[in-house]
Amino acid sequence: MLDFIELFILGIGVGSFGALVGIGGGLIMVPLFMYFMMPPSGSTFANVQEVVGTSLFGVLLNALSGTWAYFRQKRIILSVAMPFALATVPGAFLGSYVSEWFSGPAFSITFGASLAFLGCFMYWSSRNKAANRSADEFDPNELPRSKIWLGIGCSFFVGFISSILGIGGGVVHVPMMVFLLGFPPLVAVATSTFVLMVSAAIGVVGHALLAHIVWAPAVAVGCGAIVGAQLGARLARKSKPRLIVILLSCVMVALGCQLVWRGFSL
């Protein structure tokens, strides 16, 4: 019971931050599970695949709750979110079947280096006009068709990465939409949350079929993430656009460096 409460509280915190910056929470859950719930620190998870599958289940519940919250705020651009979401489906399903190749030091180094690079890029670009656009200034009808197709191509990659790393893919999708497609940060976060809902659902199915989900901690952290997503969506609506970008970039760099260090220490 105590473990359930602790994971539920963790889910609230992770879900709040995940919905605030559009990453689903897996960015935080995966390293925490690896550090404290895998040998030698713990015995909840036997391997990285179980960490990824369990985290992705929490991401799914967080994204479901966050999508509902952002839908009520009218911040999800469905005309773009739908094709982006559909493009993640084949990538997410494929990723669940190759995730076993990303284990041990290779997984930590790959995951960490990717996060650190993306985080640095976002922080350096946080003063750009793209990172400071208000949601009220955006007209999705102005998006050229070439950018929509670019987003669809990137979304396939997002689905693949989300299923492999158990992070929901928002760490790729949000920067892509802000800096490549010109979405305001809040609209990017909301649209990314919708896409995460679809890609995480497909990834969860694949991991469940492969018995990669440890259900007790998955349900506990997932229930907390549902509550946290509602809080995070409210905070996002009241936050300055640049703050969302900076928060995401700083956490990505910090966790990325820790995982790279862990990978070289194994």
Side-chain angles (χ1 to χ4, degrees):
M1 185 64 182
L2 182 60
D3 289 341
F4 184 94
I5 294 174
E6 290 174 345
L7 287 170
F8 179 80
I9 295 172
L10 171 64
I12 292 176
V14 168
S16 297
F17 186 79
L20 174 62
V21 296
I23 62 173
L27 172 67
I28 302 173
M29 281 188 283
V30 168
L32 286 178
F33 287 168
M34 290 177 65
Y35 282 132
F36 300 112
M37 301 178 73
M38 279 185 65
S41 301
S43 58
T44 302
F45 302 109
N47 51 53
V48 172
Q49 289 74 43
E50 290 185 353
V51 168
V52 170
T54 303
S55 170
L56 198 58
F57 183 82
V59 168
L60 172 60
L61 295 188
N62 180 246
L64 281 167
S65 179
T67 294
W68 174 242
Y70 285 122
F71 182 78
R72 287 183 297 169
Q73 294 180 19
K74 299 181 180 180
R75 296 304 185 189
I76 300 176
I77 309 301
L78 289 176
S79 61
V80 175
M82 289 297 293
F84 284 7
L86 291 175
T88 67
V89 171
F93 196 75
L94 177 63
S96 66
Y97 280 89
V98 301
S99 62
E100 61 187 28
W101 297 351
F102 290 78
S103 59
F107 176 84
S108 294
I109 294 170
T110 301
F111 184 17
S114 299
L115 290 181
F117 174 79
L118 285 170
C120 289
F121 172 80
M122 288 189 67
Y123 184 81
W124 290 331
S125 304
S126 64
R127 293 186 181 276
N128 291 355
K129 182 179 179 181
N132 291 276
R133 289 187 68 186
S134 167
D136 296 327
E137 301 174 359
F138 180 64
D139 182 2
N141 296 319
E142 295 178 355
L143 278 177
R145 187 171 295 273
S146 60
K147 284 194 173 183
I148 294 178
W149 280 108
L150 174 62
I152 290 173
C154 291
S155 294
F156 174 86
F157 176 72
V158 167
F160 185 73
I161 290 296
S162 72
S163 194
I164 285 179
L165 301 179
I167 59 173
V171 290
V172 178
H173 234 162
V174 174
M176 176 199 78
M177 285 189 283
V178 172
F179 296 108
L180 291 183
L181 305 185
F183 281 41
L186 179 55
V187 176
V189 166
T191 305
S192 172
T193 301
F194 177 88
V195 176
L196 288 178
M197 177 183 66
V198 176
S199 63
I202 301 301
V204 164
V205 171
H207 282 290
L209 291 174
L210 295 169
H212 288 169
I213 300 176
V214 182
W215 289 105
V219 171
V221 77
C223 289
I226 291 174
V227 177
Q230 298 297 312
L231 299 175
R234 292 185 181 183
L235 288 173
R237 184 170 59 180
K238 298 178 181 180
S239 300
K240 294 183 178 179
R242 184 168 180 255
L243 177 61
I244 295 175
V245 174
I246 291 176
L247 282 174
L248 177 57
S249 64
C250 290
V251 173
M252 287 166 67
V253 170
L255 290 179
C257 291
Q258 289 179 12
L259 285 172
V260 169
W261 177 82
R262 174 184 170 88
F264 282 111
S265 300
L266 292 176

